[in-house]
Each structure stands twice: as structure tokens, then as C-alpha cells.
């Protein structure tokens, strides 16, 4: 049962996504966009520690291992954690566009249980762009990159200016991120999620 909301269907005037010329090369590890991010940050003890790699075109692959802290039912990943993994993977696509965008809508389908100890293999791609709207899709597989689909999602991201984070984020984190001497980390800190 996989219905798509009209909001997740690109309009007729949508265009194909264009990979930014300065995007990481295919196969390159993207690294954490922010060390405190629950999805990819290394400083989150119970975070997903999701690792994403640039793919061809406007695609990425990612992996994360379901740990005991990620359980919902005994021995199985929590659905919200799986949705977070999909959202994080989809949000990482924006780095290939070099666009600051936030999740506007995320529709997730859960197809099979994901046991603790499983490596979830994720693949995502941007499918269309219409003005500030970025349409994308992702799948999560178990048992390997070609294994059965366990979860999937369609998403709509909306391009925002960095002011979105400055005006809405907690000031001590905003100042720390903006004062980071590493220009790439400084830019990536503001790349995904509301």
C-alpha cells in the first residue's frame, strides 16, 4: 500500500535536478553535516551515525547499523528511527545540489521489520526540482544493497536561506556553527531538516 500525496508529486513544470559542479565526487564520504546531528553526528552517543556517500548524478548511498538503543519493539528497530534514517539520507542529497533545504513532507512506507544488529543500506535520489521545492525518493534494504526493501520514502524539501536556522535555532549552537573556521563544516551545518 503505497499512495503518494499530491504534495509529493512534482508539478508539470518541474525540471530534472542538476548536480552542482562543486559537489563531492561519486564514492566520496560526505561526513557529518553537524557533529550534534542525531542522524549523522559523531558526538551523539545514541544517534544513527549514518554514513552517506555521493553517488552518480544526484544520488547518494548510506548505511547505518541498528543498535539496541534504536529499538521500538523487542529486538526490532523503532519505526521513527527508520524514518529518521530515511530523512537524513534524503536531506544529504541537498549537499549534491549545494542547496540549503529543510524537510517539508516525508511519506514513509514500512515494508518489513528491521532487526537490531541489521545494517540498513539506503539509496536516495533527487527526482525533480520546481522553484524552491526539491522532490526525492529513498529506499532502505536489509541483507545488502540489493536485498529486500524494508523501508522507503518520498519527500519534499524546501529551499531556505540560512536565516531560517539563525532565527529559529538555539543561539549558542548557531554561533558555534557560524564561527567554525572550517568553511565546509560551517556551510554543511545548515543544510538539512527543520
Amino acid at each position: 500500500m503505497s499512495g503518494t500525496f499530491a504534495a509529493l508529486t512534482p508539478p508539470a513544470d518541474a525540471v530534472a535536478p542538476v548536480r552542482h559542479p562543486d559537489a563531492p565526487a561519486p564514492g566520496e564520504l560526505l561526513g557529518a553535516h553537524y557533529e550534534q546531528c542525531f542522524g549523522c553526528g559523531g558526538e551523539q552517543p545514541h544517534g544513527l551515525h549514518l554514513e552517506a556517500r555521493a553517488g552518480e548524478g544526484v544520488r547518494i548511498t548510506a548505511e547505518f547499523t541498528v543498535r539496541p538503543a534504536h529499538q521500538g519493539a523487542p529486538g526490532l528497530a523503532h519505526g521513527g528511527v527508520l524514518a529518521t534514517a530515511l530523512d537524513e539520507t534524503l536531506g544529504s542529497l541537498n549537499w549534491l545540489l549545494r542547496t540549503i533545504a529543510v524537510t517539508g513532507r516525508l511519506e514513509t512506507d514500512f515494508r518489513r521489520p528491521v532487526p537490531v544488529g541489521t545494517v540498513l543500506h539506503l539509496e536516495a535520489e533527487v527526482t525533480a526540482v520546481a522553484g524552491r521545492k526539491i522532490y526525492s525518493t529513498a529506499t532502505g534494504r536489509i541483507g545488502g544493497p540489493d536485498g529486500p526493501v524494508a523501508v522507503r520514502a518520498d519527500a519534499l524539501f524546501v529551499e531556505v536561506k540560512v536565516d531560517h536556522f539563525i532565527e529559529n535555532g538555539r543561539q549558542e549552537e548557531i554561533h558555534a556553527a557560524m564561527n567554525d573556521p572550517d568553511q565546509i563544516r560551517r556551510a554543511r551545518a545548515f543544510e538539512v531538516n527543520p
Side-chain angles (χ1 to χ4, degrees):
M1 180 170 144
S2 174
T4 299
F5 289 106
L8 294 175
T9 302
D13 63 347
V15 298
V18 177
R19 183 188 187 103
H20 193 279
D22 295 331
E28 187 175 327
L29 187 64
L30 299 182
H33 77 271
Y34 179 56
E35 287 300 319
Q36 290 295 326
C37 175
F38 181 79
C40 65
E43 293 180 15
Q44 284 293 335
H46 299 295
L48 305 185
H49 302 158
L50 187 134
E51 292 187 347
R53 290 189 181 279
E56 297 291 333
V58 190
R59 293 175 171 250
I60 65 160
T61 59
E63 291 182 359
F64 99 94
T65 301
V66 178
R67 298 190 325 256
H70 303 142
Q71 290 180 85
L76 297 174
H78 189 288
V81 168
L82 297 174
T84 300
L86 288 162
D87 185 47
E88 184 68 29
T89 303
L90 289 157
S92 295
L93 288 165
N94 297 314
W95 190 238
L96 300 180
L97 300 172
R98 293 296 170 117
T99 299
I100 299 172
V102 296
T103 309
R105 178 173 225 119
L106 178 70
E107 180 183 335
T108 307
D109 296 318
F110 301 94
R111 302 253 172 107
R112 64 180 65 231
V114 179
V116 169
T118 299
V119 175
L120 189 65
H121 299 269
L122 297 132
E123 186 172 358
E125 71 175 309
V126 176
T127 57
V129 177
R132 294 177 43 224
K133 295 180 178 181
I134 301 164
Y135 297 86
S136 53
T137 188
T139 57
R141 297 174 182 271
I142 57 176
D146 297 319
V149 173
V151 293
R152 63 163 310 283
D154 293 312
L156 168 64
F157 281 77
V158 180
E159 184 178 353
V160 295
K161 300 206 178 308
V162 75
D163 294 351
H164 168 86
F165 301 96
I166 294 169
E167 293 168 4
N168 296 295
R170 197 165 75 163
Q171 290 305 303
E172 64 187 80
E173 281 89 353
I174 296 297
H175 290 303
M178 292 189 77
N179 291 325
D180 190 324
D182 184 318
Q183 289 183 344
I184 292 175
R185 273 200 322 248
R186 187 170 55 236
R188 290 206 63 211
F190 301 102
E191 80 176 3
V192 294
N193 299 340

